[in-house]
């Protein structure tokens, strides 16, 4: 056990470089903004490895620095990177009024027309929507629009 520790302490800059590379590879595979902070911390430790600071102290600084960056900077960076998504066609029609083009019952799907597009439609309640009546799009599941009576 002591020989492994002596090998590590004799090659500290290389150990920290290896930890940096490993953390950055893991981060590039996961993109979770978690191991990047450990990678940055390990990179900073490369420079501390040239000081007479003992390995245990370096290890403590490494974890303290990484955890501090993880806790305090990850939410800020995540918020900056989390761009608002543009609503797709199906998200835009939720809550809008549609015209029934084929009768819809609780047991049989029909169809509705909204914004010039025809959608397969169904109801969740025990109601019947006749052709030509108006309804509101409640939700989209797959290619079916679930509607409710106005």
């Amino acid at each position: 056990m002591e020989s492994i520790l002596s090998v590590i302490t004799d090659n500290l800059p290389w150990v920290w470089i290896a930890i940096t590379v490993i953390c950055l590879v893991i981060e590039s595979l996961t993109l979770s903004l978690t191991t990047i902070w450990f990678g940055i911390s390990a990179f900073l430790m490369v420079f501390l490895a040239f000081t007479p600071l003992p390995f245990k102290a370096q290890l403590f600084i490494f974890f303290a620095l990484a955890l501090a960056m993880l806790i305090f900077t990850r939410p800020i960076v995540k918020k900056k990177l989390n761009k608002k998504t543009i609503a797709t066609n199906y998200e835009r029609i939720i809550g809008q009024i549609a015209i029934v083009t084929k009768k819809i019952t609780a047991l049989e799907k029909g169809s509705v027309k909204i914004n010039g597009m025809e959608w397969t439609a169904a109801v969740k309640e025990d109601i019947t929507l006749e052709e030509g009546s108006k309804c509101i799009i409640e939700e989209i599941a797959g290619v079916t629009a679930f509607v409710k009576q106005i």
Side-chain angles (χ1 to χ4, degrees), residues 28-45:
S28 69
L29 295 173
T30 62
L31 300 174
S32 63
L33 287 178
T34 304
T35 55
I36 187 76
W37 311 116
F38 288 89
I40 293 170
S41 181
F43 178 72
L44 296 174
M45 297 311 299

Side-chain angles (χ1 to χ4, degrees), residues 118-137:
E118 192 98 14
W119 283 79
T120 302
V123 290
K124 291 183 176 180
E125 304 160 358
D126 189 18
I127 58 171
T128 300
L129 296 173
E130 296 294 331
E131 188 175 328
S133 63
K134 292 183 179 182
C135 60
I136 295 179
I137 309 289

Side-chain angles (χ1 to χ4, degrees), residues 82-129:
N82 190 13
K83 305 257 191 258
K84 290 188 177 185
T85 56
I86 298 170
T88 58
N89 286 338
Y90 87 90
E91 292 169 328
R92 288 185 194 145
I93 67 170
I94 294 174
Q96 290 190 9
I97 296 174
I99 305 291
V100 178
T101 56
K102 182 180 174 191
K103 182 178 174 179
I104 308 167
T105 67
L107 301 174
E108 189 177 329
K109 289 183 179 182
S111 61
V112 294
K113 192 169 196 173
I114 184 163
N115 297 336
M117 293 179 59
E118 192 98 14
W119 283 79
T120 302
V123 290
K124 291 183 176 180
E125 304 160 358
D126 189 18
I127 58 171
T128 300
L129 296 173

Side-chain angles (χ1 to χ4, degrees), residues 57-72:
Q58 289 182 28
L59 203 56
F60 175 78
I61 293 169
F62 165 72
F63 279 111
L65 189 60
L67 289 174
M69 285 191 292
L70 178 68
I71 292 168
F72 295 111

